[in-house]
Amino acid sequence: MFDAARLSEILHVHAGREGPLLPILHDVQAEFGHIPDAALDPIAGALRLSRAEVAGVVGFYHDFRAAPAGRHIIKLCRAEACQAMGGAGVQVRLEAALGQRLGETKNGVTLEAVYCLGLCANAPAAMVDDRLVGRLDGAAVDALVAEVSA
């Protein structure tokens, strides 16, 4: 839940620093689980930026969220090496098993696309919460879905 007083504390910590927008956004997301819409104007005002500039940065960086994520976050690699090793099929199976598409949050699971996890030698790959998973195939996808659905 958004707390304006807590946001003010975060802004105060970064007052006077060079280039504080990204650190502020990281701290806001760590505190609230996402970047609440209600935080954009106060952040913009504190940094003498427009709301559009702040919203643009939030929208540009994929790790910033405008809405809360699920209890579990699956980041599926969509980069070339993973695609060459069957990533499209993994995506289809994962979306079908979860009943959701990339970019959606349902039943406590957020499914996201990322464009390289650095696990190219073990493609196709994903990150489940903070754990890397490589060599995804049908059985691995089924196990992953069972894990996040428990």
Side-chain angles (χ1 to χ4, degrees):
M1 179 190 247
F2 179 68
D3 179 353
R6 182 64 188 119
L7 175 61
S8 292
E9 292 171 13
I10 292 169
L11 293 172
H12 179 73
V13 166
H14 295 283
R17 292 188 176 164
E18 285 259 348
L21 180 56
L22 288 176
I24 288 170
L25 292 174
H26 281 288
D27 287 354
V28 168
Q29 183 159 292
E31 180 69 28
F32 302 113
H34 66 293
I35 311 293
D37 189 60
L40 298 180
D41 284 331
I43 293 169
L47 300 178
R48 294 188 175 111
L49 298 172
S50 71
R51 177 186 173 89
E53 287 173 302
V54 176
V57 171
V58 172
F60 178 79
Y61 290 102
H62 296 288
D63 279 342
F64 291 131
R65 304 177 191 294
R71 286 184 328 276
H72 296 286
I73 300 169
I74 300 172
K75 295 181 180 188
L76 182 63
C77 183
R78 304 290 297 137
E80 291 82 1
C82 286
Q83 291 310 301
M85 296 300 292
V90 168
Q91 177 184 342
V92 168
R93 186 168 185 140
L94 190 55
E95 288 177 332
L98 291 170
Q100 68 192 77
R101 301 189 51 93
L102 287 174
E104 293 181 341
T105 299
K106 287 186 179 175
N107 301 318
V109 178
T110 297
L111 182 58
E112 299 177 332
V114 293
Y115 295 90
C116 195
L117 292 167
L119 207 58
C120 303
N122 294 307
M127 180 180 282
V128 181
D129 298 324
D130 291 324
R131 180 176 52 90
L132 291 170
V133 181
R135 295 197 168 100
L136 289 171
D137 58 13
V141 168
D142 293 344
L144 191 150
V145 169
E147 173 186 333
V148 299
S149 298

